[in-house]
Amino acid sequence: MTIQTEAPTSADASTVRRTALISAFATPKGFGDATLRDPRADAIELLGGVPDPSVLPSAELAEATARVLSRPGVPALQYSRTEGISPLREWIAEREGVAVERIIVTNGGFHGLSLAIQTVVERGDLVAVDNPIFPLFLRGLELSAADILPIRIGANGLDLEQLADRLRDGVRPSALYTVPDFHNPSQGSLTAEGRAELVRLAEHYGFVVFADNPYRELWYSGAPESSREFNSSPQVIHINTFTKTLGPGLRLGWVVAPEGRSADILALRSRQDSHSSTLVQAIVGELLTSDPTLFDTTLDRARALYSERARALVAALEREAPGAFEATVPGGGLFLWPRLVDDAIDADRLAADASAEGVEYQRGAFFASGPGTDSARHLRLAYGNVDVALLEEAAARIGRALRRQ
């Protein structure tokens, strides 16, 4: 008797079809990959910019949720407008100092970046980027098959002299990406003069600045420079988020669109997810407007906590590994960017040995967007959701890992 079998169908696991786009970026690329494997059970993770739950207004969010869901007709469970709802947009617009028509609510900061890329960047365009850089921006840029022009990042953010030199040489990017406040990963912030010069260059040479600002509110000892230069220029798309201040799980952010680009971004958005969660927008809008002091009170607690942790981690690294690192307490944000002083230390081996000791961090090499930096000699240590005792233990483990070499 002959047993006949059916030929494999396109749904079989062995014959699943991948588009060329998916095939191009399906392989892990380093940054964040430590979260894809199982570390030691007692591992201390210093991997991501995660806010501490103790400074998130969870009780107030619960109360705001109850009020929103008790309204007649429950409008928060219905569809809403692509640009977002009031009073949330009005609150954001007032804080940014712009007309409400320029505010577009997004599903977090990265969604805002994706909209900016798709609005401005043609396939194959050149985009100037931070070097070192927040690596996920480059992954978002892959969808546009863009080429990149790495621009050095220094103590005061973007190296505007290098950028100006390249522009004078005839290089013409369609856009530029930078984190202007408490840079991820390198901590620096653009000065007021730097912001004005960046805007001047953008307006003179015709490129659009993507100003990615998730850490702007998390300053420690003094507020960052004004956003007026960014918010008043037709060449800047300013992106921000509640991820680091109210909680990543909300998936809520916004774009300050330049005058004249709001309609383009909305047309694009209407062909994607239509709008952000009406319920989440309504809850956050209720939270922020029912108590005008709540947001800044929440931020004050967060700033004090993160400042304490940053200082404790710098001190612990020096105590556990004297002279091994150049480490500076940042002016804000959620990251330390210590540099290995001894060039004889193998940074990749150190990361592996630290993992074996039970501490996980992001290797600096993951953040380089091109040559010309010493990123590979750095560690990016995230301290937002790790208490001081664990940070001190993490430093001790890094010290032990160093001594293995």
Side-chain angles (χ1 to χ4, degrees):
M1 181 176 66
T2 302
I3 300 176
Q4 294 189 357
T5 59
E6 294 183 0
T9 70
S10 60
D12 290 336
S14 60
T15 59
V16 169
R17 178 177 177 270
R18 276 182 168 174
T19 64
L21 181 64
I22 292 294
S23 298
F25 58 69
T27 303
K29 296 188 176 181
F31 177 78
D33 291 344
T35 61
L36 303 178
R37 56 184 173 80
D38 295 325
R40 280 177 35 171
D42 67 342
I44 301 170
E45 294 190 354
L46 310 179
L47 291 167
V50 181
D52 194 272
S54 70
V55 293
L56 300 180
S58 55
E60 293 88 348
L61 281 166
E63 293 168 1
T65 301
R67 293 194 297 272
V68 163
L69 291 177
S70 68
R71 288 179 181 148
V74 201
L77 295 183
Q78 300 294 345
Y79 291 112
S80 57
R81 300 179 64 85
T82 299
E83 61 267 34
I85 67 172
S86 297
L88 178 62
R89 289 175 69 226
E90 293 169 356
W91 184 93
I92 294 170
E94 182 177 0
R95 198 162 182 98
E96 293 282 8
V98 300
V100 69
E101 292 77 16
R102 294 177 57 193
I103 301 299
I104 299 169
V105 177
T106 62
N107 300 322
F110 192 74
H111 183 211
L113 289 173
S114 297
L115 288 170
I117 292 168
Q118 293 173 48
T119 301
V120 173
V121 180
E122 295 281 6
R123 294 187 66 79
D125 271 5
L126 182 66
V127 177
V129 299
D130 290 345
N131 188 23
I133 192 172
F134 168 54
L136 292 188
F137 177 77
L138 295 180
R139 298 188 192 179
L141 204 57
E142 287 177 347
L143 299 177
S144 294
D147 292 324
I148 63 169
L149 172 67
I151 301 295
R152 285 189 303 267
I153 293 291
N156 292 321
L158 198 69
D159 186 334
L160 293 167
E161 289 187 8
Q162 184 187 34
L163 174 63
D165 286 344
R166 298 306 306 274
L167 293 168
R168 282 192 291 267
D169 288 343
V171 174
R172 292 293 179 267
S174 63
L176 177 145
Y177 169 81
T178 193
V179 178
D181 291 307
F182 314 122
H183 183 266
N184 178 13
S186 63
Q187 309 174 351
S189 296
L190 271 175
T191 63
E193 295 77 11
R195 291 162 203 258
E197 176 63 6
L198 177 57
V199 167
R200 187 192 71 79
L201 291 171
E203 293 178 354
H204 181 75
Y205 289 100
F207 61 86
V208 176
V209 176
F210 302 155
D212 183 17
N213 237 342
Y215 309 100
R216 176 173 175 77
E217 299 280 13
L218 298 181
W219 45 268
Y220 299 162
S221 57
E225 299 292 345
S226 169
S227 291
R228 183 181 56 81
E229 294 284 353
F230 293 152
N231 289 343
S232 62
S233 173
Q235 295 300 117
V236 179
I237 298 178
H238 196 191
I239 298 111
N240 210 323
T241 179
F242 291 112
T243 291
K244 311 301 182 183
T245 55
L246 298 182
L250 295 170
R251 305 313 305 136
L252 201 64
W254 67 92
V255 165
V256 181
E259 293 181 5
R261 285 199 186 268
S262 294
D264 293 343
I265 297 175
L266 287 174
L268 174 66
R269 178 80 185 278
S270 69
R271 287 155 176 79
Q272 298 178 344
D273 65 338
S274 185
H275 62 76
S276 298
S277 165
T278 311
L279 177 61
V280 173
Q281 291 185 72
I283 291 168
V284 173
E286 173 70 16
L287 176 84
L288 297 173
T289 58
S290 62
D291 179 356
T293 67
L294 182 138
F295 191 60
D296 287 310
T297 300
T298 298
L299 289 173
D300 286 342
R301 292 197 303 268
R303 292 165 186 151
L305 182 70
Y306 301 146
S307 175
E308 176 192 20
R309 290 178 176 179
R311 294 176 189 282
L313 184 52
V314 169
L317 285 173
E318 181 57 30
R319 183 171 62 250
E320 300 293 342
F325 295 103
E326 294 174 353
T328 302
V329 176
L334 295 171
F335 305 111
L336 225 59
W337 185 238
R339 183 186 183 279
L340 284 162
V341 172
D342 186 353
D343 290 340
I345 296 294
D346 184 317
D348 288 333
R349 179 182 166 186
L350 176 61
D353 287 343
S355 181
E357 291 284 349
V359 60
E360 304 287 345
Y361 59 80
Q362 301 287 7
R363 306 181 192 197
F366 294 160
F367 296 84
S369 61
T373 76
D374 62 352
S375 294
R377 306 303 301 162
H378 287 260
L379 291 60
R380 196 196 72 170
L381 307 178
Y383 50 80
N385 65 332
V386 184
D387 66 30
V388 167
L390 283 177
L391 290 172
E392 291 175 340
E393 174 60 22
R397 295 180 185 187
I398 291 171
R400 291 198 296 270
L402 274 166
R403 289 189 287 278
R404 292 189 181 200
Q405 295 192 46

